[in-house]
Amino acid sequence: DGKALVGLAGSFGRFWMGRDEHPAYTYSQSPGDPWGTDTVVANGTIMNGGIGATRYSNTLNYRIAAPGLTFAAQLGEAGKNAPAAGTAEKRTLSLGLAYGTGPLTLGMGYENPGDADDIWTTLNASYNFGMVKLGAFYGTGKDGLAKKRQSYLLSATAPIAGGELRLSLGQLKNKDTAIVLDKRTAMGYVYPLSKRTSVYADLVREGRPAMPAANKATGYDFGLKHNF
């Protein structure tokens, strides 16, 4: 799942082509998840609504940044990126906007995976009070079958004993049928060993209303992570 990128940068911003993460994911969906959509406790389906993707192929990308503010856009070639539902009928489009100054961060994302019906719009915000950082995420849109979907995620992170404690609660719902598609409660702890290496342990409980008790699940993981 690597990248093949060719770019051009200047005072007017940066342009590049290839396969890459899209702006709605980079500046709204991933920052809204305290795990960055990583490990067993990741809230990926809640963040993308079960509609979008993490990255697209054959894309033209643009990004421009000013102090505290970043805007990015991505346009993908029609027919080269299959949506989660429906057919690849048109170009993919993704927009992302991020604002951060002091303890406050804000993000917005718009994603159209390429079907005539699917669309996913997200908002995220967080505020660092020092002892704890609180976050909130909201997503709304339609899947490739034109069914309305809505999600939310509430999160908290706190520095403890040199590491970070993380908590989240979120769900994804089909608004047309009022059926909860995903509901997750998670907690975890990450301890950095260096700037790029950390150890972690996570616990998640997944269960939807009216789901048979036998189908409800508790998951956990622990491991060592290194960013190259």
Side-chain angles (χ1 to χ4, degrees):
D1 209 11
K3 302 176 182 178
L5 305 176
V6 177
L8 175 66
S11 60
F12 47 80
R14 180 188 175 206
F15 292 91
W16 71 97
M17 297 182 295
R19 175 172 172 80
D20 205 354
E21 294 178 354
H22 62 86
Y25 172 82
T26 302
Y27 297 108
S28 183
Q29 297 173 20
S30 181
D33 186 348
W35 284 273
T37 66
D38 192 21
T39 75
V40 72
V41 291
N43 295 284
T45 303
I46 292 173
M47 312 314 284
N48 67 22
I51 296 170
T54 300
R55 53 178 60 83
Y56 292 105
S57 301
N58 295 60
T59 65
L60 174 63
N61 301 266
Y62 173 72
R63 182 176 66 219
I64 188 168
L69 188 67
T70 301
F71 169 77
Q74 183 189 85
L75 187 64
E77 186 177 354
K80 298 299 183 180
N81 297 281
T87 58
E89 300 171 301
K90 57 183 181 179
R91 292 184 176 91
T92 63
L93 174 64
S94 179
L95 305 173
L97 181 67
Y99 171 80
T101 178
L104 176 66
T105 60
L106 301 170
M108 297 178 60
Y110 170 89
E111 182 181 1
N112 188 328
D115 182 81
D117 297 309
D118 58 11
I119 188 174
W120 188 240
T121 302
T122 57
L123 300 170
N124 70 282
S126 66
Y127 194 91
N128 193 337
F129 293 91
M131 292 298 295
V132 63
K133 182 171 75 172
L134 300 179
F137 173 90
Y138 176 78
T140 183
K142 296 187 297 181
D143 63 19
L145 303 177
K147 301 296 183 181
K148 295 180 181 178
R149 294 193 177 189
Q150 184 183 72
S151 72
Y152 74 84
L153 186 81
L154 303 176
S155 65
T157 61
I160 295 178
E164 184 177 72
L165 177 68
R166 301 175 180 178
L167 305 169
S168 69
L169 169 65
Q171 76 168 28
L172 170 66
K173 177 186 286 187
N174 184 323
K175 290 285 289 181
D176 290 328
T177 61
I179 294 176
V180 176
L181 303 173
D182 193 8
K183 188 171 185 179
R184 301 166 66 86
T185 304
M187 67 180 297
Y189 183 75
V190 180
Y191 186 85
L193 300 177
S194 67
K195 290 184 178 180
R196 296 190 296 172
T197 305
S198 60
V199 291
Y200 62 88
D202 303 311
L203 179 68
V204 61
R205 177 64 174 173
E206 183 171 13
R208 304 182 295 277
M211 174 188 283
N215 292 347
K216 295 181 180 181
T218 299
Y220 64 90
D221 65 6
F222 54 88
L224 175 70
K225 181 178 179 180
H226 180 78
N227 295 316
F228 291 94

